[in-house]
Amino acid sequence: MSKVDINATITVPNYPKGKVIGTYGLLGGVVGGLILFLYIAIGMSIDIGIPLRDSLLFVKVAPAFILSGFFGGLLPALLAGYIVSKFKIYFNSVAKVFPLFIIGFMSTFSFVVWFMIGDGSVNSSMTSDILFCCNGGVSAIITGLIALPKHK
């Protein structure tokens, strides 16, 4: 038997751009919808006082949040996947979390601004818009854990 070097890394000859963009497109909005669902479900259970284990409503509403998160987050997630594939980001250290958050935040921010200008509702709450964009950043990190290659 031959010995395997512990420090050996796997080399990827070509960066999997299609896999990264496709996975971001398919999972980015779904992950964002799940995060939004958990935020609202936990907030409602704390605010109203409904225990999570006693509420069947949360289970019934979860697929609607996932589906609306997919369709609502499809374009920002595709944009984030495209930007990540252009920068050829590998998820080989924890230091890659910050660039992924910034890419997800900015792609979501660009679409929030685009919809606000197109809708004429520039007077919306800035706090909710920033939290929505943070949701896009966290979604980009979680999707990056799944979609990005792990080694150079």
Side-chain angles (χ1 to χ4, degrees):
M1 278 216 187
S2 64
K3 286 184 138 188
V4 177
D5 186 20
I6 294 174
N7 296 326
T9 59
I10 300 171
T11 58
V12 179
N14 294 328
Y15 189 80
K17 290 182 181 182
K19 177 188 173 250
V20 170
I21 295 171
T23 307
Y24 262 87
L26 289 174
L27 293 181
V30 172
V31 171
L34 278 173
I35 293 170
L36 188 63
F37 166 72
L38 290 174
Y39 176 74
I40 290 175
I42 292 170
M44 282 180 58
S45 66
I46 291 172
D47 189 35
I48 298 174
I50 301 172
L52 271 166
R53 66 179 183 279
D54 294 339
S55 178
L56 187 63
L57 176 67
F58 294 125
V59 176
K60 290 180 182 178
V61 176
F65 271 94
I66 292 170
L67 193 62
S68 64
F70 172 75
F71 287 116
L74 181 64
L75 292 177
L78 283 173
L79 179 63
Y82 178 75
I83 293 170
V84 166
S85 71
K86 278 297 181 186
F87 284 128
K88 295 183 179 177
I89 296 177
Y90 290 86
F91 205 88
N92 52 4
S93 69
V94 180
K96 299 296 181 182
V97 168
F98 186 69
L100 288 176
F101 180 81
I102 293 298
I103 290 171
F105 184 91
M106 292 308 291
S107 66
T108 307
F109 181 75
S110 64
F111 279 93
V112 166
V113 169
W114 182 35
F115 287 128
M116 282 174 35
I117 290 173
D119 192 27
S121 62
V122 182
N123 300 342
S124 70
S125 169
M126 194 58 118
T127 306
S128 64
D129 292 341
I130 290 174
L131 285 176
F132 194 70
C133 294
C134 287
N135 186 11
V138 172
S139 174
I141 293 170
I142 294 171
T143 308
L145 283 170
I146 299 166
L148 295 178
K150 307 301 185 250
H151 301 285
K152 282 188 179 180

Short mmCIF file of all heavy atoms in Angstrom, two decimals, residues 19 28 36-37 69-70 78 83 93 104 111 116 124 133-134 139:
data_model
loop_
_atom_site.label_atom_id
_atom_site.label_comp_id
_atom_site.label_asym_id
_atom_site.label_seq_id
_atom_site.Cartn_x
_atom_site.Cartn_y
_atom_site.Cartn_z
N LYS A 19 -22.28 24.56 -12.36
CA LYS A 19 -22.77 23.96 -11.11
C LYS A 19 -23.00 25.03 -10.05
O LYS A 19 -24.01 25.01 -9.34
CB LYS A 19 -21.76 22.94 -10.60
CG LYS A 19 -22.14 22.33 -9.27
CD LYS A 19 -21.03 21.47 -8.72
CE LYS A 19 -21.38 21.01 -7.33
NZ LYS A 19 -20.60 21.60 -6.29
N GLY A 28 -30.65 29.14 -3.55
CA GLY A 28 -30.49 30.44 -2.89
C GLY A 28 -31.80 31.01 -2.38
O GLY A 28 -31.91 31.43 -1.23
N LEU A 36 -36.35 33.37 6.30
CA LEU A 36 -37.45 34.31 6.54
C LEU A 36 -38.58 33.64 7.32
O LEU A 36 -39.15 34.24 8.24
CB LEU A 36 -37.95 34.88 5.23
CG LEU A 36 -38.96 36.01 5.30
CD1 LEU A 36 -38.33 37.23 5.96
CD2 LEU A 36 -39.45 36.37 3.92
N PHE A 37 -38.89 32.39 6.97
CA PHE A 37 -39.93 31.65 7.69
C PHE A 37 -39.56 31.47 9.16
O PHE A 37 -40.39 31.68 10.05
CB PHE A 37 -40.16 30.29 7.03
CG PHE A 37 -40.96 29.35 7.87
CD1 PHE A 37 -42.32 29.55 8.06
CD2 PHE A 37 -40.37 28.27 8.49
CE1 PHE A 37 -43.06 28.69 8.85
CE2 PHE A 37 -41.09 27.41 9.28
CZ PHE A 37 -42.45 27.62 9.45
N GLY A 69 -40.07 32.05 -1.48
CA GLY A 69 -38.66 32.36 -1.39
C GLY A 69 -37.91 31.95 -2.64
O GLY A 69 -37.00 32.64 -3.10
N PHE A 70 -38.31 30.82 -3.22
CA PHE A 70 -37.67 30.38 -4.47
C PHE A 70 -37.92 31.38 -5.58
O PHE A 70 -36.99 31.81 -6.26
CB PHE A 70 -38.18 28.99 -4.88
CG PHE A 70 -37.70 28.57 -6.24
CD1 PHE A 70 -36.40 28.16 -6.42
CD2 PHE A 70 -38.55 28.59 -7.33
CE1 PHE A 70 -35.95 27.78 -7.68
CE2 PHE A 70 -38.12 28.22 -8.58
CZ PHE A 70 -36.81 27.80 -8.76
N LEU A 78 -29.37 34.00 -8.62
CA LEU A 78 -28.64 33.78 -9.87
C LEU A 78 -27.54 34.82 -10.06
O LEU A 78 -26.44 34.50 -10.51
CB LEU A 78 -29.60 33.80 -11.06
CG LEU A 78 -30.43 32.55 -11.28
CD1 LEU A 78 -31.45 32.78 -12.39
CD2 LEU A 78 -29.55 31.37 -11.61
N ILE A 83 -21.74 36.13 -9.90
CA ILE A 83 -20.62 36.91 -9.37
C ILE A 83 -19.61 36.00 -8.67
O ILE A 83 -18.39 36.14 -8.84
CB ILE A 83 -21.13 38.02 -8.43
CG1 ILE A 83 -21.93 39.05 -9.21
CG2 ILE A 83 -19.98 38.69 -7.70
CD1 ILE A 83 -22.68 40.04 -8.35
N SER A 93 -11.76 28.04 3.44
CA SER A 93 -11.48 28.57 4.77
C SER A 93 -12.68 29.40 5.23
O SER A 93 -13.54 29.77 4.44
CB SER A 93 -10.21 29.42 4.77
OG SER A 93 -10.44 30.61 4.05
N GLY A 104 -23.90 38.29 -1.60
CA GLY A 104 -25.33 38.04 -1.42
C GLY A 104 -26.09 39.28 -0.99
O GLY A 104 -27.20 39.54 -1.45
N PHE A 111 -31.58 44.29 -6.28
CA PHE A 111 -32.95 43.99 -6.68
C PHE A 111 -33.97 44.69 -5.79
O PHE A 111 -35.05 45.06 -6.28
CB PHE A 111 -33.18 42.47 -6.69
CG PHE A 111 -32.66 41.84 -7.94
CD1 PHE A 111 -31.38 41.33 -7.99
CD2 PHE A 111 -33.43 41.81 -9.08
CE1 PHE A 111 -30.88 40.76 -9.15
CE2 PHE A 111 -32.95 41.25 -10.25
CZ PHE A 111 -31.67 40.72 -10.28
N MET A 116 -37.98 48.88 -5.70
CA MET A 116 -38.48 50.10 -5.05
C MET A 116 -38.61 51.23 -6.06
O MET A 116 -39.59 51.97 -6.02
CB MET A 116 -37.54 50.51 -3.92
CG MET A 116 -37.71 49.70 -2.66
SD MET A 116 -36.52 50.02 -1.34
CE MET A 116 -36.19 51.73 -1.43
N SER A 124 -40.15 53.19 1.77
CA SER A 124 -40.31 52.01 2.62
C SER A 124 -39.32 52.05 3.79
O SER A 124 -38.39 52.84 3.82
CB SER A 124 -40.10 50.73 1.81
OG SER A 124 -38.74 50.63 1.45
N CYS A 133 -31.86 42.32 3.00
CA CYS A 133 -30.59 42.15 2.31
C CYS A 133 -29.63 41.27 3.12
O CYS A 133 -28.85 40.50 2.54
CB CYS A 133 -29.95 43.50 2.01
SG CYS A 133 -30.90 44.48 0.84
N CYS A 134 -29.68 41.37 4.44
CA CYS A 134 -28.87 40.47 5.29
C CYS A 134 -29.33 39.02 5.12
O CYS A 134 -28.50 38.10 5.15
CB CYS A 134 -28.96 40.88 6.75
SG CYS A 134 -28.06 42.37 7.13
N SER A 139 -28.08 33.72 3.13
CA SER A 139 -28.46 32.69 2.16
C SER A 139 -27.30 32.39 1.21
O SER A 139 -27.09 31.23 0.83
CB SER A 139 -29.69 33.16 1.38
OG SER A 139 -30.00 32.26 0.36
#
